[in-house]
Amino acid sequence: MPKENVQQILERIQEASIKSAYNEQITLVAVSKNRSVAALEEMLEFGIADFGENRVQELLEKSSVLDGRASWHFIGTLQKNKVRTIVGKCVLIHSVDTISLAEEIDKRSRQAGLATDILLQANVSMEASKHGFKAGELQKALEKACQMPNLRVRGIMCIGPNTGDKNAIGAVFSDTRRIFDKLMKIATKYDNINFDIISMGMTNDFEQAIANGANMLRIGRALFE
């Protein structure tokens, strides 16, 4: 049942946080793609109010129904021709994977008279199936994005490798945290940047992510099923 699922996940997050060497406040984003509005309303009753969607239209439809009761995160691949419709509709775009996409978000945000919070997507595992900046590209990407006046770069996002090898998963998360710490020092040069989010960890690997310093998790199946 969803209520029991939420309780179990929150307990596991707390236990992993206690064991972690990092003193991070964890934000749980419920991955709500393909879930009904009724299922999301149930999550709201359990105190879960951050939802992650990977399709623009689905996010827009659900947000219009829930009407201010939830915080929306866009976590999927974002096409530039969809940026105009989503700017101002979510609290955070996790999946900025190219400079051209960052430029489009900055442009549309300027036109809308607002600033948009984003994460740079890091492809630390170097898997061909994943989007994102390679580890060696992230500093340059950060420096460019930080100079776009209508963007606020809040941190980085990483998807763990598609493997059952816990050592391989842990290595990617550990590398991502090291990169995050390095970039955080660079971001302090910019007065308009609060670089404080490292989004990594999903249903199968969130405890490892917490152990390696994640402070934002994206969990779907374990909550809803």
Side-chain angles (χ1 to χ4, degrees):
M1 296 293 290
K3 183 175 182 179
E4 286 73 22
N5 292 348
V6 171
Q7 291 173 337
Q8 289 175 9
I9 291 297
L10 293 178
E11 288 172 2
R12 289 171 62 187
I13 290 172
Q14 184 178 22
E15 289 173 4
S17 297
I18 291 170
K19 294 176 182 177
S20 176
Y22 296 88
N23 183 25
E24 293 283 1
Q25 183 70 36
I26 308 294
T27 298
L28 171 59
V29 178
V31 178
S32 51
K33 61 181 181 179
N34 301 324
R35 306 296 176 180
S36 67
V37 170
L40 273 59
E41 288 178 326
E42 195 171 24
M43 286 292 156
L44 286 169
E45 292 177 5
F46 305 147
I48 306 296
D50 286 273
F51 297 118
E53 292 285 342
N54 69 345
R55 296 185 181 89
V56 170
Q57 190 58 39
E58 192 170 351
L59 185 152
L60 296 175
E61 290 172 356
K62 291 176 181 176
S63 63
S64 67
V65 175
L66 293 178
D67 191 26
R69 288 185 283 158
S71 297
W72 298 94
H73 299 245
F74 190 79
I75 61 175
T77 301
L78 180 58
Q79 297 175 339
K80 286 193 289 184
N81 63 356
K82 296 292 183 68
V83 169
R84 177 180 56 83
T85 61
I86 201 170
V87 159
K89 304 295 184 182
C90 53
V91 297
L92 188 62
I93 298 175
H94 289 230
S95 48
V96 176
D97 56 357
T98 64
I99 290 298
S100 61
L101 176 58
E103 290 171 339
E104 182 68 15
I105 297 170
D106 178 61
K107 171 186 171 182
R108 296 299 183 179
S109 300
R110 183 169 61 253
Q111 292 172 349
L114 50 81
T116 298
D117 286 1
I118 69 165
L119 302 179
L120 299 176
Q121 182 170 348
N123 185 359
V124 177
S125 64
M126 298 292 290
E127 292 174 278
S129 60
K130 287 185 171 61
H131 296 271
F133 296 98
K134 297 175 183 177
E137 300 171 338
L138 279 162
Q139 180 174 338
K140 184 176 180 181
L142 173 65
E143 291 173 339
K144 285 187 175 181
C146 283
Q147 296 177 58
M148 298 179 193
N150 291 82
L151 289 188
R152 289 191 294 251
V153 187
R154 295 293 307 277
I156 61 176
M157 181 269 268
C158 165
I159 300 173
N162 185 21
T163 177
D165 184 343
K166 290 189 175 183
N167 290 330
I169 295 169
V172 168
F173 287 160
S174 177
D175 287 346
T176 303
R177 179 68 201 210
R178 282 196 291 270
I179 292 166
F180 172 78
D181 289 340
K182 175 184 175 182
L183 296 179
M184 186 162 49
K185 293 177 182 177
I186 294 168
T188 59
K189 296 188 300 182
Y190 301 92
D191 294 336
N192 63 327
I193 301 299
N194 183 20
F195 195 90
D196 60 350
I197 297 173
I198 175 168
S199 172
M200 60 184 187
M202 299 188 292
T203 289
N204 292 331
D205 56 22
F206 71 86
E207 284 152 319
Q208 281 184 279
I210 293 171
N212 287 284
N215 57 28
M216 184 171 283
L217 312 173
R218 309 177 307 275
I219 300 177
R221 176 167 39 84
L223 290 171
F224 289 96
E225 297 179 1

